[in-house]
Amino acid sequence: GVDGLVENIVVDKSYRQKGVGRALMDKMFEKAREYGWRFAEWTSGDHRLEALSFYRHLPGVKWRTQSRYVKVL
């Protein structure tokens, strides 16, 4: 299997809190499974507090640091 890393996903402020970010991540998980990924990983800088709050609500687990998350696919 293959592992995948997602970087630099940003939702425009006018679309935040409307499900756009979650829809993007859910589609990424779906496509990752189709492509045979074993894991999906996403990260954020520790200074991006809104992003970290969003990521904490996704179905993944913290991995080694506060800003690195992994989901078994």
Side-chain angles (χ1 to χ4, degrees):
V2 178
D3 300 335
L5 174 63
V6 178
E7 292 186 292
N8 300 320
I9 292 184
V10 178
V11 174
D12 186 272
K13 285 185 180 187
S14 64
Y15 290 96
R16 293 179 190 167
Q17 301 294 314
K18 297 181 181 180
V20 173
R22 181 60 191 246
L24 286 169
M25 294 300 286
D26 286 345
K27 182 55 88 172
M28 183 276 300
F29 295 144
E30 177 186 321
K31 288 297 187 183
R33 284 185 198 96
E34 289 177 17
Y35 296 143
W37 290 13
R38 297 177 304 161
F39 299 94
E41 177 182 335
W42 56 99
T43 63
S44 181
D46 290 333
H47 64 285
R48 298 186 60 228
L49 300 180
E50 285 182 79
L52 292 173
S53 177
F54 170 73
Y55 291 150
R56 283 187 202 104
H57 291 94
L58 291 174
V61 295
K62 290 183 193 178
W63 187 257
R64 296 187 185 156
T65 69
Q66 176 181 348
S67 58
R68 184 175 178 199
Y69 294 82
V70 175
K71 176 178 173 55
V72 176
L73 301 169

